[in-house]
Amino acid sequence: MQKSKSLKYSLALAALSVTLVACGGNDEANTGTDANEPANEPANEEPANTDAANNEEPANGDGNTAAEGDAPEKPESLAMWVNDEDAQLDAYEEITARFEEEHGIEVNITPYSMLEQTEGMSLDGPSGQGPDLFFQPHDRMGDIHLQGLAAELELTEDQQARLAEYNEEAVTAFSFEGIQYGIPAVVETYALFRNTELVPDAPETMDDLMATARELTDGSTYGFLMEATNFYFSYPFLTAPGGYVFGQDADGVYDSEDIGLNSEGAVQGAEVIGSWFEEGLMPMGIDGDVMNGLFTDGQAGMVVTGPWAIPDYEAALGENLAVSTLPTQDGETLSSFSGNKGWLVNFYTDHEYWATELALFLTNPESSATYFEMAGELPAHTAVEIDDEFMSPIFDQTQYAEPMPNIPEMSQVWEPIADALNFIAQGEDPQEVLDEAVQQIRDQIVIMQ
Amino acid sequence: MAATNKNDKHDLLVNKKHNPTVAALLSIIPGLGQAYNKRFLKGAALFILFAAFVVAFTELISAGLQGLVTLGEVPREDDSRIFLSNGILSLIFTAFFLSFYILNIQDAFKDAKRIQLGWKVPNIREGFRNAWDNSFPYLLIGPGLFLLIFVVIFPLLFMVFLAFTNYNLYNAPPRNLLEWVGFENFVTLFTINEWRTTFFNVLSWTLIWTFVATTLQIGLALFLAVLVNDPRVRFKKLIRTVLILPWAVPGFVTIIIFSALFNDNFGAINLQIIEPLFGQRVPWLTDATATRVAIIMIQVWLGFPFVYALFTGVLQGISADWYEAADMDGANRWQKFRNITFPHVMFATAPLLIMQYAGNFNNFNIIYLFNQGGPAVRGQTAGGTDILISWIYGLTFTNQQFNMAAAISIILGILVAGFAFFQFRRSRSFKEEGTF
């Protein structure tokens, strides 16, 4: 008998100690996760000055010397999480090698999917295992603020001066309620792609575009296609006549009570979108797959999509592919939705200053140029010259783009508006369905708080 | 030994002085009771183990339990989720400790009782052999049990506990501390109008979906299995292979392909089949009823091969004698099916068929991959084909309302547990029936 008991006990003890070690900072809390947006979220904005020369050196050089003077002590190494795509990892390997050379601080890169980083930070941050820098799209700022994952940046004057050279919209996109949280790295938005065989010249105005569309559309070929029931892409057409998502005060702080998606302007825009379906210019049930399929088969003259489509389109159309900014309406270029991605400093880091320095280094013109070359993403720094027949027009479009609102309430907007656009495509009354959609958004916002 | 005659029990007491109650009381300090029983080695081992446990874990457990009550005090530094998980671990350890403690007292009491009745304490060698013989099964189960506790019970407890906190996006660690809110989340679920009204629409469709899709897939499988099993059918192997093919393709691939095939304007089903035959298109993805029909058809396609394979196996196991006997009695084909084939097949497979229903009740994949629960229905947040699980997914995970997600998961879990309970009941009836 005696051994039987003690055997069980020692087993129990052994198991307990093993699990204790293993269960250390473990926890299931994060099973839920993000995904508050339709798949297309990535987007970016930014005004881009293609003009400026590559002479980042002065600003940068000065900055560094000034910084070294009264800077806190250098850490031996900094850690950062890089989105786990080979091109991006390679690019940052190269860029951080330069940082190591310049400052003598080792940079450790961990591949980590961008979409899972907040979840990881929420647990690793407080337990002290987080990196110094992590990478996030700007529209997660609200969530990150509420969870308190990112450090509120206290920029030195010198750092502020350097940040002033970035695209202003992109910088504010990384602030939440007036607190600057991040350094923007890349911008992304969509533009007008066309098949030059069908549409040789880029349309100047929306009227031109519609005229071409009517001319070309004959039942099997379409003149102009876009995911019109996807709010991300239909944004320009709702905002051009005066619609808006959330009201903003002078400092860019959003008011989630003030929803402008059933305003007169938005309804007017929605009526236009509805008319495309009514006239048969656009087929019902149009989605990204259908649009891409028709365009690559040469059965669509113009489509609206983002830079991610370039490789496939180029493979299918070759020389016939051309990209331009969105046309104008009432004399102004349509403003697309943009998404920014940037670097945030871990709230729990001990090296806030140097982490910020690293973030600024990663996004300076030289690094941005390397990054664009290797990973193909458009920089948020305005002093980079983009020389690419497809990317340049998209970079131009970022000048007219507006960042998606970065408040958490935005996650409640996508679906009701997409549904409303679907009803409008089916011929229902725009005012009525938009009123319903906005009411739904309000209800949902109340529930989530 | 004493059990031979209960009435004489008292007369048979050999060691009247040896008192089981004393042994049990002494065991309040583990090991002392065993020592009283003169099992010194066992007593010493027990004492050392308990002492070690107390030294090593007391602080940890009390801190864990305290943390479970407070869930942290300093925002930003204390992470409530860590407190919660440590607290749950402490609960599990405490449960371990208590059960071993009680076993220890019982052990001392029992041994003392046996000694009272004249039982001789075995020597070390015998004791060792007894221990080995008795505990061998536990040794084998042990690792599995611990795995179960920490891989299944622990996360489950965590989820259950979350349902009673206020963990949502606006109150998320590490910035904020969590608090216990009692049944508030469950009350919210049934008092907020939007959730409640949509809940019943979605629930009714979920039930229709579960019943119709599963019954059709079983019906089709039965029909095909019986048909192919007929001796007059040739090329059986080929036909069976073809019928099982839908099973061979990963479900999500099939669903995505079907979602393209069903596209209103560009899908092959409208363009190549419906329009040439009937002169019009069916709004497969934009009309709620049409989408429901489509999604049920797809589920039948996806689900029947498994049931078909199951039925085919059972059909081949039915003895030909039954049918011969039926033929002698002059039964017709329908009677043979109704009284021999059908009961055989159903009895052998009932538990698995019930699990088919349970599977479809929570069949998130097909709903989400086909159309994300769409099409949109005016005036409600759920789409036309959203079942409970996909609606909840959208409602809670886009809002990061972990507390509500946990609360609803508990409700769903109870519903599915109902299915599982039913299944176990069926399994038993099957076993007890025995003859089939």
Side-chain angles (χ1 to χ4, degrees), chain A residues 396-415:
Chain A
D396 292 342
Q397 177 66 35
T398 59
Q399 294 181 51
Y400 307 106
E402 279 171 41
M404 296 182 273
N406 63 6
I407 52 175
E409 286 81 2
M410 186 63 194
S411 64
Q412 304 306 330
V413 172
W414 299 103
E415 218 182 300

Side-chain angles (χ1 to χ4, degrees), chain B residues 282-352:
Chain B
V282 179
W284 292 116
L285 297 180
T286 40
D287 178 78
T289 315
T291 313
R292 288 172 176 192
V293 170
I295 213 161
I296 285 176
M297 291 197 294
I298 297 170
Q299 177 54 38
V300 170
W301 165 268
L302 280 174
F304 90 85
F306 170 75
V307 189
Y308 168 80
L310 201 66
F311 284 169
T312 302
V314 176
L315 281 178
Q316 284 170 341
I318 302 178
S319 160
D321 299 354
W322 292 77
Y323 294 106
E324 252 172 56
D327 282 337
M328 302 288 269
D329 291 344
N332 63 26
R333 198 167 295 158
W334 170 246
Q335 282 171 322
K336 281 191 281 183
F337 173 78
R338 244 204 70 177
N339 296 315
I340 303 174
T341 317
F342 188 75
H344 263 93
V345 170
M346 284 302 147
F347 238 95
T349 57
L352 286 168

Side-chain angles (χ1 to χ4, degrees), chain B residues 31 156 188 223 234 272 304 346 385:
Chain B
L156 208 61
T188 312
F223 177 74
R234 301 176 62 199
Q272 261 87 45
F304 90 85
M346 284 302 147
T385 54

Side-chain angles (χ1 to χ4, degrees), chain A residues 232-438:
Chain A
Y232 176 68
F233 292 106
S234 54
Y235 177 80
F237 305 96
L238 298 179
T239 51
Y244 57 93
V245 187
F246 294 113
Q248 264 176 299
D249 70 10
D251 297 331
V253 176
Y254 292 97
D255 176 7
S256 63
E257 307 266 299
D258 178 12
I259 302 174
L261 287 168
N262 58 346
S263 64
E264 207 181 306
V267 172
Q268 217 177 309
E271 275 164 359
V272 172
I273 292 174
S275 74
W276 298 341
F277 290 94
E278 211 177 324
E279 284 186 51
L281 293 177
M282 220 170 269
M284 289 271 288
I286 176 94
D287 61 19
D289 291 340
V290 172
M291 183 186 81
N292 291 335
L294 287 170
F295 191 68
T296 48
D297 286 350
Q299 283 178 273
M302 295 170 283
V303 298
V304 172
T305 188
W308 54 85
I310 292 173
D312 286 348
Y313 284 8
E314 206 183 354
L317 298 180
E319 300 258 295
N320 289 333
L321 179 68
V323 186
S324 56
T325 55
L326 295 179
T328 59
Q329 182 164 327
D330 305 326
E332 284 187 37
T333 302
L334 290 168
S335 66
S336 48
F337 249 154
S338 73
N340 308 279
K341 285 176 263 178
W343 291 102
L344 306 180
V345 176
N346 180 359
F347 176 86
Y348 295 90
T349 181
D350 295 328
H351 316 295
E352 190 187 317
Y353 174 84
W354 283 105
T356 315
E357 275 300 309
L358 175 60
L360 286 165
F361 186 92
L362 295 173
T363 53
N364 73 21
E366 193 192 349
S367 305
S368 290
T370 309
Y371 189 68
F372 173 72
E373 210 173 284
M374 297 180 70
E377 293 196 274
L378 292 168
H381 201 290
T382 50
V384 184
E385 216 165 310
I386 300 298
D387 182 22
D388 181 300
E389 61 168 321
F390 302 131
M391 292 305 268
S392 300
I394 297 174
F395 200 46
D396 292 342
Q397 177 66 35
T398 59
Q399 294 181 51
Y400 307 106
E402 279 171 41
M404 296 182 273
N406 63 6
I407 52 175
E409 286 81 2
M410 186 63 194
S411 64
Q412 304 306 330
V413 172
W414 299 103
E415 218 182 300
I417 297 298
D419 290 351
L421 289 168
N422 265 310
F423 297 135
I424 290 165
Q426 290 164 32
E428 312 231 9
D429 180 53
Q431 181 76 56
E432 220 171 277
V433 294
L434 283 175
D435 284 345
E436 275 176 18
V438 168

Side-chain angles (χ1 to χ4, degrees), chain B residues 14 42 47 68 102 106 108 111 121 162 167 195 207 213 258 278 282 341 364 374 389 421:
Chain B
V14 180
K42 186 178 180 181
F47 181 77
L68 192 60
I102 289 167
Q106 271 181 352
D111 273 4
V121 172
L162 272 193
Y167 186 8
W195 290 32
L207 294 176
F258 266 116
F278 304 100
V282 179
T341 317
F364 180 78
I389 189 95
F421 178 73

Side-chain angles (χ1 to χ4, degrees), chain B residues 42-219:
Chain B
K42 186 178 180 181
L46 274 181
F47 181 77
I48 291 170
L49 278 169
F50 272 90
F53 186 91
V54 169
V55 169
F57 287 104
T58 309
E59 203 176 322
L60 199 125
I61 286 181
S62 66
L65 292 179
Q66 204 185 343
L68 192 60
V69 175
T70 63
L71 289 181
E73 274 150 6
V74 191
R76 271 260 144 94
E77 273 170 35
D78 292 352
D79 187 339
S80 297
R81 294 163 304 178
I82 304 288
F83 279 71
L84 194 55
S85 48
N86 285 349
I88 292 170
L89 284 179
S90 302
L91 281 184
I92 292 175
F93 293 157
T94 313
F96 273 140
F97 180 80
L98 285 181
S99 36
F100 285 119
Y101 192 71
I102 289 167
L103 279 178
N104 144 64
I105 293 177
Q106 271 181 352
D107 175 71
F109 184 78
K110 267 191 212 151
D111 273 4
K113 200 144 205 185
R114 285 195 286 182
I115 290 169
Q116 212 178 20
L117 297 172
W119 178 68
K120 289 274 186 298
V121 172
N123 64 28
I124 293 172
R125 181 190 278 260
E126 278 170 357
F128 191 81
R129 180 174 295 176
N130 281 344
W132 179 255
D133 288 349
N134 288 329
S135 66
F136 189 66
Y138 295 104
L139 194 69
L140 293 186
I141 307 170
L145 184 70
F146 286 115
L147 208 63
L148 182 82
I149 287 172
F150 291 102
V151 175
V152 179
I153 311 267
F154 175 76
L156 208 61
L157 278 179
F158 196 92
M159 187 270 282
V160 170
F161 279 53
L162 272 193
F164 299 94
T165 68
N166 56 356
Y167 186 8
N168 65 29
L169 180 60
Y170 285 82
N171 190 60
R175 184 189 283 276
N176 298 298
L177 294 170
L178 301 182
E179 273 163 32
W180 295 111
V181 295
F183 283 91
E184 201 181 292
N185 296 325
F186 294 88
V187 173
T188 312
L189 193 60
F190 290 101
T191 47
I192 289 190
N193 208 16
E194 196 187 340
W195 290 32
R196 198 183 44 206
T197 50
T198 309
F199 179 82
F200 287 108
N201 289 337
V202 174
L203 179 66
S204 63
W205 158 241
T206 308
L207 294 176
I208 294 170
W209 149 259
T210 308
F211 185 75
V212 175
T214 321
T215 309
L216 278 182
Q217 88 192 32
I218 292 171

